[in-house]
Amino acid sequence: MIASSPELANELRKIVGHDHVLTENDLTAGYSVDWTGRFVGSTPIVVRPSNTEETASVVELLNRNSIPLVPQGGNTGLVGGSIPMSREVLLSLKRLNTLEPVDDLALQVTVGAGATLAQTQAHVRDHNFEIGVDLAARDSCTIGGMIATNAGGINVLRYGAMREQLIGVEAVMSDGTVIKHLEGLEKDNTGYHLPSLLAGSEGTLAIITKARLRLRPRLTEKVTALIAFESVHDAVAVSTRLRQKLPSLHALEAIFSSAMTLVSAHIGAQIPIGPNGKAWLLVEVASGTDPFEEFQQALQNCGDTILDVAVATDDRSRSKLWQFREQITEAIAVTGTPHKLDVTIGLSRLEKFIDEIPKVVKRADPNSLTYLFGHLGDGNVHVNVVGIDGSEPSNVVESAVLGYVASLGGSISAEHGIGIAKKSYLHLNRTSDELRFFRNIKKALDPNNIMHPNCMLSD
Ligand code: FAD
Ligand code: 2HG
Ligand code: ZN
């Protein structure tokens, strides 16, 4: 048995090489704090394997010695799940970034878990393909992390979340065994579907080392519009109409008033339309042929529920409109350390929710500010709460918001996962029977409980 961290570091160096085992605090510190700065942990060792075989040997060694690990990809996760909060070994997968040739016949590609979304997008774009999931952290988030969180993003209403992009995986199980099913057969009912189980498993069941992904056609004709509304009710009604009537609908995002005011100031712009509006939709249509007329017709059919519209057809103006949505997370980060509550609400209850939630938060912590935005096409609202003076809000905010969400039949985690932040609230959405079966699955796949033991499931 390995008796000390220096001894473990030496054994790991034999597997991954001297330069890829980090033990100095100033080198490991960056791996131990999350994107928001809210979750700060520490680790005796960061280990950075370069391929599947090295990953398997690292995991086998840790398992043999019952040493817990936390897998990390791009460290952009927003629920603290990528951080070693209990001095676990940090397993960084970023070097597993191979991009295999695009399979133009099958419309698929196999990539390493450490490839970033942007690298993967650039790789397939030359072949006129896109990845079905897109999100603002694209330059840093990795395919492995996106699978482990079942990431959503801006195109879920068209292509589904990460689970729907996944045809096969290669993964290292807790004892170091490599399981590989990357043939890419669309029809393949040969037993349990490991990719589905690993999507959303947040590093608690296995280490994803490679993924076989479906590719989507690259739709070059895009039109983007920002639409202002006097009420949340009108925004929801129009969003439903657009989902019914617009086959080219590609993204349907929402920004509510406090977030719009904040992001406009952050990017140094005026609120472009409807300065006194209550809600804005950022709508994108995409097609192989020009979708402008179809879009215009659909908007005209929405009648006078719309306060104002700004339409962009060229790439530069489109990306300017996107700034009002994609820069919100950064705008909030500048004001302080947020508590992020990423929830889904049924559309019939959304108006009530948007109206009530700032009051629910104020009652829980009078010294806080609430920002609301999200992916309206999926009923996914991002509730961000910061202290007035930039400090963290009280934890009572979490229980108040998530309790309210559950009382409306919503989900306490739409797309970011459970991680550390929400594990004590999982019972709000899952029965004790479900949680017992979750634990049984975990125990069967990870009998020594080394795979991210402090994430997602409470003891
Ligand atoms: P990490 O943060 O490193 O890890 C996330 C989880 O996955 C952890 O539990 C970790 O242990 C586990 N993990 C990582 N790699 C592996 C692996 N190879 N095998 C097993 N487990 C692994 N998320 C959305 O869903 N939609 C959005 O629109 C969105 N927008 C964002 C915008 C910004 C600006 C930021 C900062 C974040 C955003 N996120 C969004 C959150 C985040 O980008 C996603 O959760 C992403 O999927 C995390 O990928 P990552 O590589 O950074 O994973
Ligand atoms: C988004 O949709 C991301 O922009 C981040 O999921 C959400 O910052 C957040 O809360
Ligand atoms: Zn989101």
Side-chain angles (χ1 to χ4, degrees):
M1 285 296 263
I2 287 175
S4 68
S5 289
E7 195 186 338
L8 176 61
N10 279 339
E11 290 304 312
L12 290 169
R13 285 189 185 104
K14 289 180 197 162
I15 300 170
V16 301
H18 190 271
D19 291 349
H20 297 295
V21 177
L22 314 177
T23 54
E24 301 291 321
N25 199 38
D26 53 344
L27 297 178
T28 59
Y31 294 84
S32 303
V33 55
D34 79 318
W35 192 91
T36 65
R38 177 181 172 193
F39 296 95
V40 185
S42 67
T43 179
I45 298 176
V46 173
V47 54
R48 307 188 301 187
S50 68
N51 57 37
T52 305
E53 293 69 33
E54 287 182 8
T55 308
S57 301
V58 168
V59 173
E60 192 277 327
L61 176 71
L62 296 177
N63 187 55
R64 192 160 21 95
N65 290 280
S66 296
I67 298 171
L69 64 89
V70 171
Q72 187 182 90
N75 197 11
T76 66
L78 297 174
V79 288
S82 48
I83 301 305
M85 295 301 286
S86 304
R87 294 212 32 99
E88 301 90 340
V89 168
L90 192 290
L91 177 62
S92 169
L93 283 317
K94 278 209 285 202
R95 294 177 70 220
L96 274 64
N97 58 359
T98 46
L99 300 167
E100 296 188 12
V102 172
D103 185 340
D104 293 283
L105 276 183
L107 318 185
Q108 297 171 5
V109 70
T110 299
V111 298
T116 65
L117 174 58
Q119 284 164 347
T120 312
Q121 287 171 328
H123 178 58
V124 304
R125 200 163 285 146
D126 288 347
H127 294 250
N128 278 322
F129 292 121
E130 287 290 357
I131 303 298
V133 168
D134 190 17
L135 45 95
R138 55 184 75 81
D139 289 329
S140 307
C141 68
T142 63
I143 297 295
M146 291 170 68
I147 296 168
T149 56
N150 190 28
I154 56 184
N155 302 136
V156 171
L157 80 175
R158 191 163 208 173
Y159 298 129
M162 204 57 193
R163 183 176 282 124
E164 279 78 30
Q165 319 312 316
L166 200 55
I167 304 181
V169 287
E170 178 191 82
V172 172
M173 309 309 285
S174 68
D175 64 355
T177 304
V178 178
I179 288 190
K180 182 171 174 164
H181 203 69
L182 295 170
E183 291 75 13
L185 301 175
E186 281 288 355
K187 299 192 93 175
D188 183 15
N189 284 347
T190 50
Y192 301 127
H193 195 239
L194 193 59
S196 297
L197 182 61
L198 294 190
S201 64
E202 301 187 37
T204 61
L205 299 181
I207 308 299
I208 298 148
T209 48
K210 277 187 187 173
R212 181 87 179 165
L213 301 175
R214 284 194 180 89
L215 297 175
R216 312 293 176 174
R218 185 171 172 215
L219 302 171
T220 47
E221 304 297 316
K222 287 187 175 170
V223 180
T224 307
L226 188 67
I227 313 174
F229 297 90
E230 255 168 12
S231 71
V232 174
H233 178 270
D234 288 347
V236 172
V238 165
S239 81
T240 300
R241 258 200 118 95
L242 297 178
R243 280 163 55 229
Q244 278 172 341
K245 301 283 178 199
L246 260 182
S248 56
L249 189 62
H250 204 61
L252 179 45
E253 300 287 304
I255 308 164
F256 299 101
S257 30
S258 56
M260 181 53 109
T261 306
L262 182 79
V263 74
S264 301
H266 177 70
I267 62 177
Q270 304 278 335
I271 298 177
I273 51 165
N276 300 316
K278 288 274 182 321
W280 290 258
L281 291 184
L282 185 74
V283 182
E284 185 153 280
V285 289
S287 172
T289 54
D290 190 353
F292 184 77
E293 263 180 41
E294 176 187 286
F295 194 12
Q296 197 179 34
Q297 189 65 53
L299 289 178
Q300 272 163 10
N301 289 344
C302 293
D304 54 12
T305 38
I306 288 176
L307 194 60
D308 203 354
V309 190
V311 178
T313 50
D314 64 282
D315 285 356
R316 212 168 141 259
S317 337
R318 286 197 314 100
S319 75
K320 269 193 176 164
L321 287 186
W322 269 106
Q323 297 278 301
F324 288 94
R325 172 62 181 83
E326 290 207 325
Q327 288 294 314
I328 297 174
T329 297
E330 229 175 84
I332 292 168
V334 170
T335 72
T337 305
H339 282 202
K340 291 186 174 285
L341 301 154
D342 151 51
V343 303
T344 318
I345 298 292
L347 283 186
S348 61
R349 291 167 172 158
L350 201 94
E351 185 189 3
K352 178 179 162 67
F353 180 77
I354 298 295
D355 217 41
E356 286 296 317
I357 207 67
K359 299 177 216 161
V360 169
V361 171
K362 268 280 182 246
R363 277 197 295 273
D365 183 347
N367 295 317
S368 62
L369 298 166
T370 305
Y371 300 103
L372 304 173
F373 57 104
H375 312 281
L376 200 71
D378 319 314
N380 179 183
V381 182
H382 293 307
V383 179
N384 274 232
V385 183
V386 287
I388 281 173
D389 55 1
S391 61
E392 274 192 50
S394 151
N395 283 337
V396 181
V397 165
E398 244 98 343
S399 46
V401 172
L402 299 180
Y404 184 57
V405 167
S407 76
L408 295 179
S411 167
I412 62 155
S413 176
E415 58 173 7
H416 295 164
I418 299 298
I420 305 295
K422 290 185 179 167
K423 67 177 186 172
S424 53
Y425 301 100
L426 194 49
H427 68 277
L428 291 174
N429 281 154
R430 298 293 190 168
T431 63
S432 53
D433 283 337
E434 280 178 293
L435 290 173
R436 184 161 50 85
F437 277 97
F438 283 5
R439 288 195 190 94
N440 287 347
I441 293 170
K442 166 91 171 137
K443 215 174 276 172
L445 294 186
D446 179 23
N448 287 343
N449 201 23
I450 63 151
M451 307 293 266
H452 212 340
N454 298 304
C455 184
M456 193 202 291
L457 296 170
S458 312
D459 299 330

